[in-house]
Amino acid sequence: MIPNFSREDIKIIGYYLGLMITALAVVLCFPLLVALFAQEWAAVPDFLFAIFICLIFGFALQTIFPAAEDINWRQGMCVVALTWVITMFISAIPLYLSGHFLSYLDACFESMSAYATTGLVLIQDLDHLSLSHNFWRHLMCFTGGQGIILVGLIFLFRGSGALRMYIGEGRDARILPNIKSTARFIWLVSFTYLVLGSLLLAGTLMMTGVSFPRAVFHGVCIFMAGWDTAGFAPQSLNILYYHNILFEILTVVFCFLGAVSFGVHYSVWTGHFRELRENYELRVLMASVMVFYLFTLLGFSKSMSQFTGVGDFFRSTFYQLISGHTGVGFSNIPSCELAGWTELSLLGIIFAMGLGGCTNSTSGGIKALRVGLFIKSLRKEVKRFVYPEGASIEEHFHHQRDVLVDDQQVRTSMGLTICFVLLYLSGALLGTFLGYGFLPSLFESVSASANVGLSVGITSPAMPSILKIWYIFQMWCGRLEFIAILILFRFFVTLGKK
Amino acid sequence: MKIPVIVWTLITITFAGLNQAEELKEEDVRISVARLLTEAQKYDGCTVCVQGELVGDIFRARGGFWVNLLEGDQCIGLWIPDGLKLGIGRLGGYQVRGDIVRVQGTFYRHCQKHHGGMDIHVVSWQTILPGYEDREEVTGEEFLSVALFGIIGLCTVFLLKIISRRQSGSSHNGENQRAGSGLL
């Protein structure tokens, strides 16, 4: 049982929340600079307004709740969960003011979808959106993918409180002994890849005659959306817009990079290439890609003739599978084409999306490590029956170091897996209740909860508001992996009692 | 001999003419991009006529170039071979409305020539309405109201901070006095 929250807890939560909201003002300055640079004067007040709200709200909270103490576990979790909600509301302001959303709820949906790196969109007339607003959509993906709290960790927090908030954001591994250096490493990796990846993508576009500024803009946006497994794109056609096979191959590479744990990135950066071969989670991920692709293949066994060749088939099906499995959500076919896939093929994509990428990466879903743990624990149980009584039964796996499978680990990961499955089913049932088919509803629900962003067409501005709100909740839960949100609920129950 | 040749020629011309008329009739029927996408299987390989706004960028490729056509909220790629003479004025984007064009071409659900992508290979092209700038007027009042909101808001917070500091300062003094009297 979580103990009740005291007045002191509220004070500390309020103070740290204020700090995080102030940090958001700094992030909002980047799209403002883009608006000034691109001379998009109409967009400037939108961002200024949001920045002022951040500063006023952030400083007010810090003034009303002055706190000098370090933050504890449950306070940290509350701050994380609340930060994500308030950040969604504030970040939606410039989006809504752009005039490209039917309602403020739609803008909030887009904002949460970006931060949670989902990639489901409700924006209208995306092809006429300003560069600054479009950049803001992608910057939210980049910030949310690394973790909103991770932004604050570098500048704002001291002491052990930082670790508590870092873990609350769905990250469970410290790559380096110090949490601040871990945060710095994650940002170093992300920025290095951002520069290299954006230049590669921009270069590919420039080869097709696109001007340098346009190519860089598209390169940066697509990289941020790909690396952070968000799946947004600056144009409504998504990846199909570029009509470029090399560009698509590059995005697949970035999807993979984004879905790999930062721990593996660290090993590779420090010259331990063996990790790529031995990491158990990566092996599970590769195996599941192959298994679920077989589902897709079987699903198309009777309708292969619609494809013009092996290349075409591979491009259409493998791209969606990788995009779904890594949680990116880029698409090189229209959503109505995806909706027309056979049930077995759709199930293959649904399973792949539900499973997701690696832990401590930017992708969502149950995560390959938890599935791997489940397999190991099953093996352990089978061995228990087969081996003589009293024999010592151990299961190991390699995940940056040799790890012994213990029951506590298995229980925790099974608990989270059950939470994810329930979340997937809840959205599917709601969708079915609202009149959509069960399989499309399940597809969309898994896509939202596992922060993927592929759509079979349910997600649109015309869908019922209750479904929009539920998808926002699913994206939030899926990204933070439940614990922080459950503690926040407890916080609100305590407030209600008082 | 002459009569059969004349009859054959007449029949051929009539049939060709009828076919031409039928083809033109079919081509003239405009299909919405949304319908084309949802009924892709039906229209695969057919000559279609679509109308919409040209948006985004032009991508050059071997033997031609790509441009995207937007109609409503649906978009489709157009493949334009090099030989086709056309003048593209503006492409739609922020504060720019692109050329509205009507194009005829062959629709491919999985284009063999282009690695299986969905596209239309354009055969003919007609600009219905040239593109234009659609600038949004920004008034000084908008900037002023945002600036005023910011200044007033931040001043209020600053005042709040001063008041709370004074209050905490006076409470600290009180505590010190109590502590001092205790010592005495």
Side-chain angles (χ1 to χ4, degrees):
Chain A
M1 191 74 185
I2 307 161
N4 278 344
F5 284 86
S6 65
R7 196 177 285 267
E8 197 55 36
D9 288 324
I10 296 168
K11 212 169 143 182
I12 291 169
I13 290 168
Y15 175 77
Y16 279 92
L17 199 58
L19 270 181
M20 286 312 304
I21 293 165
T22 315
L24 181 63
V26 180
V27 183
L28 271 159
C29 288
F30 290 99
L32 177 68
L33 286 175
V34 173
L36 292 171
F37 185 73
Q39 298 182 343
E40 293 173 344
W41 307 120
V44 171
D46 303 351
F47 292 107
L48 273 178
F49 186 58
I51 289 170
F52 282 136
I53 284 189
C54 282
L55 293 176
I56 294 165
F57 196 35
F59 284 135
L61 277 174
Q62 288 175 62
T63 312
I64 296 165
F65 304 108
E69 287 170 46
D70 206 359
I71 197 164
N72 66 29
W73 278 104
R74 57 203 189 110
Q75 293 161 354
M77 295 286 171
C78 282
V79 171
V80 171
L82 276 173
T83 300
W84 275 72
V85 176
I86 293 170
T87 303
M88 172 195 78
F89 282 122
I90 297 175
S91 303
I93 293 170
L95 291 181
Y96 180 62
L97 292 176
S98 72
H100 284 257
F101 290 89
L102 270 187
S103 64
Y104 182 62
L105 176 65
D106 287 11
C108 286
F109 183 99
E110 189 96 353
S111 161
M112 181 55 91
S113 176
Y115 278 121
T117 69
T118 306
L120 290 171
V121 293
L122 289 184
I123 194 164
Q124 295 195 309
D125 197 16
L126 175 60
D127 299 290
H128 292 100
L129 186 68
S130 71
L131 293 181
S132 50
H133 284 105
N134 223 337
F135 178 73
W136 177 228
R137 290 171 73 237
H138 292 86
L139 186 65
M140 282 192 283
C141 300
F142 195 61
T143 316
Q146 315 313 311
I148 299 173
I149 299 298
L150 216 67
V151 180
L153 280 180
I154 296 182
F155 311 108
L156 303 170
F157 300 115
R158 293 181 300 274
S160 54
L163 172 68
R164 282 152 200 160
M165 290 169 68
Y166 172 70
I167 288 174
E169 216 168 28
R171 296 270 160 74
D172 52 4
R174 260 185 293 175
I175 301 159
L176 294 159
N178 182 318
I179 194 66
K180 212 162 182 177
S181 34
T182 302
R184 282 201 179 124
F185 172 75
I186 290 176
W187 280 112
L188 174 73
V189 172
S190 301
F191 275 114
T192 310
Y193 281 137
L194 174 68
V195 174
L196 292 175
S198 304
L199 285 176
L200 266 175
L201 290 169
T204 312
L205 289 181
M206 282 172 71
M207 283 196 297
T208 62
V210 178
S211 65
F212 178 71
R214 288 282 298 174
V216 168
F217 175 76
H218 280 267
V220 169
C221 287
I222 291 292
F223 180 82
M224 288 200 282
W227 162 253
D228 286 291
T229 65
F232 273 10
Q235 305 282 150
S236 60
L237 262 179
N238 206 277
I239 295 301
L240 198 57
Y241 172 79
Y242 303 98
H243 307 283
N244 191 321
I245 196 85
L246 179 62
F247 198 83
E248 285 178 26
I249 293 168
L250 283 174
T251 55
V252 169
V253 174
F254 300 141
C255 293
F256 258 117
L257 285 175
V260 169
S261 156
F262 280 107
V264 175
H265 282 293
Y266 180 72
S267 300
V268 173
W269 273 54
T270 48
H272 300 98
F273 294 99
R274 236 182 58 191
E275 188 68 28
L276 283 174
R277 203 177 60 239
E278 291 182 353
N279 189 286
Y280 178 59
E281 191 177 24
L282 264 184
R283 285 178 170 194
V284 174
L285 183 67
M286 293 301 167
S288 76
V289 166
M290 287 192 264
V291 169
F292 293 128
Y293 193 55
L294 271 179
F295 265 71
T296 315
L297 282 176
L298 285 173
F300 275 107
S301 58
K302 283 179 186 165
S303 50
M304 274 303 191
S305 56
Q306 63 174 288
F307 299 100
T308 54
V310 180
D312 170 22
F313 176 73
F314 198 68
R315 182 193 176 193
S316 297
T317 55
F318 190 70
Y319 193 90
Q320 316 316 310
L321 184 96
I322 288 299
S323 174
H325 210 318
T326 54
V328 176
F330 278 149
S331 188
N332 61 358
I333 55 170
S335 62
C336 47
E337 189 75 0
L338 186 63
W341 280 23
T342 60
E343 289 184 351
L344 195 60
S345 311
L346 279 182
L347 268 177
I349 305 277
I350 290 171
F351 280 127
M353 290 194 298
L355 202 147
C358 295
T359 50
N360 207 27
S361 70
T362 60
S363 69
I366 292 169
K367 308 277 165 65
L369 187 65
R370 292 186 189 125
V371 177
L373 260 175
F374 176 67
I375 295 166
K376 286 280 179 188
S377 73
L378 265 182
R379 258 179 71 154
K380 204 174 161 184
E381 285 307 308
V382 171
K383 276 183 183 173
R384 217 189 288 275
F385 285 108
V386 176
Y387 282 41
E389 239 177 272
S392 160
I393 299 158
E394 283 181 353
E395 278 289 334
H396 297 260
F397 62 88
H398 183 82
H399 185 60
Q400 288 143 60
R401 59 180 200 282
D402 274 329
V403 183
L404 185 73
V405 176
D406 71 60
D407 291 345
Q408 179 59 41
Q409 268 180 334
V410 176
R411 265 201 302 275
T412 312
S413 74
M414 283 311 294
L416 278 172
T417 305
I418 290 168
C419 285
F420 265 111
V421 172
L422 289 176
L423 193 67
Y424 296 158
L425 286 175
S426 67
L429 289 175
L430 183 65
T432 314
F433 176 73
L434 291 168
Y436 299 101
F438 179 72
L439 202 64
S441 299
L442 182 66
F443 188 98
E444 216 80 354
S445 171
V446 173
S447 182
S449 313
N451 306 133
V452 179
L454 285 175
S455 173
V456 285
I458 291 179
T459 303
S460 75
M463 75 175 172
S465 296
I466 182 76
L467 201 56
K468 289 176 190 170
I469 293 167
W470 192 252
Y471 283 170
I472 290 175
F473 176 73
Q474 284 185 297
M475 292 189 268
W476 182 49
C477 281
R479 177 61 182 85
L480 297 186
E481 297 194 340
F482 307 102
I483 308 294
I485 291 159
L486 291 173
I487 294 173
L488 182 70
F489 283 147
R490 176 71 193 171
F491 173 70
F492 283 129
V493 169
T494 313
L495 282 187
K497 276 179 187 170
K498 280 179 180 174
Chain B
M1 189 65 187
K2 273 183 183 174
I3 294 168
V5 170
I6 291 165
V7 171
W8 182 84
T9 312
L10 278 173
I11 291 170
T12 314
I13 290 168
T14 315
F15 261 93
L18 280 175
N19 278 341
Q20 187 68 29
E22 204 174 298
E23 246 176 48
L24 276 173
K25 204 178 167 188
E26 189 187 285
E27 282 169 0
D28 274 341
V29 176
R30 201 159 66 78
I31 298 163
S32 71
V33 176
R35 191 171 158 202
L36 202 56
L37 296 179
T38 46
E39 296 175 33
Q41 203 164 355
K42 185 180 162 188
Y43 291 105
D44 191 16
C46 293
T47 303
V48 293
C49 173
V50 287
Q51 184 175 312
E53 180 191 352
L54 298 178
V55 289
D57 305 87
I58 288 173
F59 302 101
R60 296 203 180 283
R62 196 180 296 166
F65 64 89
W66 289 100
V67 68
N68 294 297
L69 180 128
L70 174 77
E71 190 201 7
D73 57 350
Q74 298 291 344
C75 214
I76 194 162
L78 304 178
W79 168 251
I80 297 142
D82 275 336
L84 211 64
K85 293 268 180 225
L86 41 93
I88 295 177
R90 283 177 198 272
L91 293 165
Y94 178 57
Q95 296 191 337
V96 178
R97 293 284 147 186
D99 293 352
I100 304 287
V101 294
R102 180 179 285 193
V103 296
Q104 282 180 355
T106 315
F107 169 71
Y108 292 103
R109 188 182 175 201
H110 294 281
C111 178
Q112 202 164 9
K113 196 179 167 189
H114 298 114
H115 313 284
M118 190 183 272
D119 58 29
I120 295 174
H121 288 206
V122 175
V123 178
S124 69
W125 177 287
Q126 188 189 353
T127 304
I128 304 290
L129 188 74
Y132 58 94
E133 280 201 15
D134 186 19
R135 288 220 168 266
E136 194 184 333
E137 288 299 317
V138 194
T139 56
E141 285 167 15
E142 214 171 312
F143 275 96
L144 199 69
S145 54
V146 170
L148 269 175
F149 167 76
I151 291 163
I152 292 168
L154 286 173
C155 285
T156 315
V157 174
F158 189 65
L159 274 173
L160 202 71
K161 201 158 195 162
I162 291 170
I163 293 164
S164 69
R165 256 191 203 163
R166 277 189 186 161
Q167 274 180 351
S168 65
S170 62
S171 69
H172 274 295
N173 285 341
E175 276 169 21
N176 288 342
Q177 277 173 4
R178 277 196 295 276
S181 61
L183 278 171
L184 282 168

